[in-house]
Structures are given as structure tokens and as C-alpha cells.
Amino acid sequence: MSSSATAPWKQILLNSISSNSHLKHSIYFQLATVGSNGRPSNRTVVFRGFQDGTDKIQINSDSRSRKIEDLKHCPFAEVCWYFTETWEQFRIHGRVDMIDASNSDPDKLRQREVAWFAGSVRSRLQYLGLTPGLPSLDEQPSNDSLDPSAGPVDAFCLLVLDPEKVDYLNLKSNERLAFSTGRSVNVPDESNQLNLKHMCTKVPLSKL
């Protein structure tokens, strides 16, 4: 979504994050992808904020992980984010842009670098280890093996999810909101502006 328009669901999400901020697990959500075999994969990831001036969600990943292969096959993914304190769920579907060391766009590489330094040294160390998913009997990399001032290592990949559909469910108020984005017919394609449409419906708990 362009920076000129902020989606209404974003403020709802920010309010939910704020209301649940005292819970450490509130920054974790599930990211589902589809592999080349047509089967789904799901994993828990960490919310790394929104890309500046946009509604796009940032996620840090290891470029050697399975989800990267999934996204190369199918660039669409869905987030499922549940807030236990306020009984709210967000399902966010969209296209994922993968920004790794091989990216040729200088602006995207800068975004990747900013995301790298925004993480703690401890979180950066995981990208120096073995390929994710493989068993290891060796000790994990120590802080001495990483220069805190050095830029992103090759294994670091920034994922940027651009939401197309958002489904919000509040189990306390028994309310459901559905948001979708679509290009405005009055705006040239090259302007990359989006026209936001939203639908609000209340769904009985018995039908969920």
C-alpha cells in the first residue's frame, strides 16, 4: 500500500499490539506458505514492525530456510496473529517481497541493512549457524564471532509482506471486520496507488 493512504486495519492492529504489549508473546505470529508440492507450511515468526510510511509488515528470516523456498515457488503468504489478552485475531494475506544479499535495488538493500541493525547482536548470531532445520551438536556461535558494526551476513533476508486482505475477529465484542485492497480505476497503474474498500460484519460465535 502506498504511503499516501493508511489502511484502517493498521490502527486496529496497533491498538491491539499496545493493549497486549505487557505480554512477551504478543509480538509473535504464525506465517503460512505453500511449497512446490502444493502443501502448506506454518511457523512462528517475530513482528519486526512496519516498513516506514507503509502498511507493509517486516519479518526477518534466514535465506536458507524452507519458507524462502516456498516463497520462491509461491510469493503469497498469510499471517495469523492472535492476542490472548484482548481475544482478537488478525489474518493478513498478501504478497511477500524477499530482500536478500543478491537484491540489486539499492533502496531495498538499505531497508535490509536497517532491519539487520535493528535486531540485537544475539538475534543476528543465528544467521552464522548451520542451515535451519539441520541437527547440530556443535556449540552455537559466540558474540565474539560477530562484529556488531558489520553489515548483514549473506544468510540474512528481510521479508516484507504487502497486505491485500485482512480479516479481523474480536471474540469479546463478537465482531468481525474484513478489509481488502484494490487498484482504483481512476488512478494510472504506474502511480501504484491503492483504493481501500472495507466491509464490516458481525458474526455469531456459533457460526465461527
Side-chain angles (χ1 to χ4, degrees):
M1 172 168 289
S2 66
S3 59
S4 60
T6 300
W9 62 263
K10 181 179 178 180
Q11 189 56 55
I12 299 175
L13 177 56
L14 290 173
N15 292 342
S16 300
I17 293 173
S18 177
S19 297
N20 292 266
S21 61
H22 60 289
L23 301 172
K24 291 184 178 180
H25 63 260
S26 65
I27 62 171
Y28 302 118
F29 55 77
Q30 281 61 55
L31 179 71
T33 55
V34 178
S36 58
N37 58 1
R39 297 188 177 186
S41 293
N42 203 2
R43 75 285 293 162
T44 301
V45 295
V46 181
F47 174 58
R48 299 294 181 178
F50 291 97
Q51 192 177 80
D52 288 345
T54 75
D55 303 316
K56 298 177 181 179
I57 295 173
Q58 296 189 142
I59 303 163
N60 293 347
S61 179
D62 193 310
S63 61
R64 302 166 296 176
S65 66
R66 178 176 174 178
K67 61 179 166 294
I68 299 300
E69 291 303 313
D70 287 355
L71 290 168
K72 287 179 180 178
H73 166 71
C74 177
F76 295 96
E78 183 165 294
V79 162
C80 186
W81 199 343
Y82 184 70
F83 294 93
T84 57
E85 181 79 8
T86 52
W87 295 15
E88 296 170 288
Q89 176 183 270
F90 292 81
R91 290 171 54 202
I92 306 172
H93 173 86
R95 188 182 185 96
V96 179
D97 186 16
M98 295 178 288
I99 307 175
D100 59 17
S102 66
N103 199 289
S104 60
D105 187 327
D107 290 334
K108 291 184 177 182
L109 289 177
R110 279 192 290 270
Q111 293 169 9
R112 175 175 175 262
E113 185 175 71
V114 169
W116 169 260
F117 285 114
S120 65
V121 172
R122 182 179 178 182
S123 68
R124 297 180 222 165
L125 283 172
Q126 64 183 306
Y127 301 102
L128 298 179
L130 296 177
T131 300
L134 295 181
S136 173
L137 299 178
D138 298 329
E139 294 183 2
Q140 295 300 310
S142 66
N143 288 350
D144 296 335
S145 61
L146 178 68
D147 180 357
S149 64
V153 298
D154 288 345
F156 179 72
C157 180
L158 174 63
L159 304 181
V160 182
L161 186 145
D162 188 3
E164 295 180 353
K165 295 181 180 180
V166 178
D167 188 294
Y168 166 73
L169 178 65
N170 187 315
L171 292 172
K172 285 189 175 181
S173 64
N174 193 23
E175 183 178 40
R176 183 175 181 180
L177 304 176
F179 303 89
S180 63
T181 59
R183 293 188 180 278
S184 170
V185 295
N186 297 319
V187 179
D189 287 343
E190 59 268 21
S191 69
N192 198 33
Q193 294 185 10
L194 292 176
N195 177 39
L196 184 72
K197 299 171 288 186
H198 100 271
M199 173 187 64
C200 172
T201 58
K202 287 201 172 184
V203 183
L205 291 177
S206 61
K207 293 185 178 180
L208 295 178

